[in-house]
Amino acid sequence: MDDHAPYAPAPTDGHPNALPVAGPSDAGPVTGGRRRPVALITGGSSGIGAATALRLARAGWLPVVSGTDRARLAAVAAGCGGHALPADLAGPGGAQHLAERALAVAGRVDALVASAGVGWRGPFAEMPPQVLDEMVEVDLAAPLRLSRLLLPGMLERRRGHIVLLGSMAGQVGVGDEAAYAAAKGGLSLFAESLWYELRGTGVGVGIILPGAVDTPFFARRGTPFHRERPRPVPPERIADAILSMISGRRDRYFAPGWLAMPARLHGVAPGLFRQLAARFG
């Protein structure tokens, strides 16, 4: 696609950061002079990324999905009518290479959904160094790098959105998940800081803060989800929240919603929160 081709925005909900949602008649990259908005989705081969690709495609978006599992990625792209871009965000230059390929394939990126992530659970002193490096790169550095590479185009068009996948671990901390919590905590502060920078630019930024999501994440990290609360939510619920966020209706989303209460308690009374966490786990 030519980035300077005509683009007539579809209706939005009136929010200054809302992105257009194309109608069902937009079956191709350009239909009737109107181009479908493009979303680059990392972690797109399964879980939240795959659910988001399907949800956005139904809303008229053109998904560009990225991941490391080529077969699953191709299936997701075929199912949503999008493009598959296999990429290893932990590798040297992975984020830059992905951004360049996405722009080459789609011509522009109207929304970045950074949902790729890796986990590890255990005492920090026993964490393998290579796993630590991979986690910092994929969970924190790659979303920042992709945002840096794609944001200038959004600012030039005065339209765009960046959605980051955080975690409650990054809000309150979790024992045996220190590195993961640190990476997600950094992502939360990045989202908050960038929100201040982008006010009035037409580009929005938001962060999703789930407790646990019913995805292959826990199996891949090598230890199952072991807590009674919160119960894992389906990835489709997160996908719906991402669409709502891109449409400009929210910039922070807790899943389930009641997790906003312990996050606030941790902010205003961290000592009390620690006592409660020690008692109730």
Side-chain angles (χ1 to χ4, degrees), residues 32-280:
R34 185 172 70 185
R35 173 180 293 154
R36 289 190 291 167
V38 178
L40 173 59
I41 304 166
T42 68
S45 59
S46 65
I48 294 172
T52 299
L54 294 173
R55 183 67 184 89
L56 292 184
R58 288 197 297 269
W61 285 71
L62 176 64
V64 177
V65 290
S66 175
T68 56
D69 189 324
R70 290 176 176 268
R72 293 181 63 90
L73 199 66
V76 171
C80 68
H83 298 287
L85 294 181
D88 181 7
L89 293 177
Q96 180 170 348
H97 187 47
L98 174 58
E100 291 172 350
R101 291 171 63 204
L103 292 172
V105 165
R108 63 195 287 155
V109 172
D110 297 291
L112 167 65
V113 180
S115 64
V118 296
W120 187 86
R121 185 171 185 271
F124 182 68
E126 300 175 9
M127 187 175 191
Q130 68 274 17
V131 176
L132 174 59
D133 291 345
E134 180 186 16
M135 182 178 294
V136 171
E137 188 63 40
V138 174
D139 293 2
L140 179 59
L144 269 65
R145 291 193 175 103
L146 287 170
S147 299
R148 173 61 186 87
L149 292 163
L150 298 173
L151 183 56
M154 297 180 188
L155 290 172
E156 182 179 356
R157 294 186 295 272
R158 297 192 63 80
R159 181 188 300 121
H161 217 100
I162 296 170
V163 179
L164 306 169
L165 237 298
S167 169
M168 271 299 293
Q171 300 294 296
V172 300
V174 179
D176 287 337
E177 296 185 48
Y180 180 76
K184 293 300 186 178
L187 208 58
S188 292
L189 288 178
F190 172 66
E192 188 76 9
S193 300
L194 196 59
W195 183 89
Y196 290 113
E197 289 187 26
L198 296 180
R199 286 180 299 174
T201 66
V203 180
V205 60
I207 189 162
I208 305 289
L209 298 165
V213 186
D214 188 10
T215 72
F217 173 85
F218 297 103
R220 289 172 182 162
R221 79 174 185 179
T223 54
F225 182 71
H226 67 288
R227 298 176 181 272
E228 294 183 3
R229 298 179 300 275
R231 292 185 178 181
V233 300
E236 291 77 15
R237 179 172 173 181
I238 305 300
D240 288 341
I242 289 172
L243 177 61
S244 176
M245 193 168 282
I246 289 175
S247 301
R249 292 189 288 273
R250 61 178 72 196
D251 53 37
R252 181 178 292 260
Y253 179 80
F254 289 90
W258 62 263
L259 287 177
M261 183 170 58
R264 294 190 184 101
L265 177 61
H266 182 270
V268 299
L272 175 59
F273 180 90
R274 285 182 177 180
Q275 294 177 23
L276 294 173
R279 181 176 178 181
F280 298 107

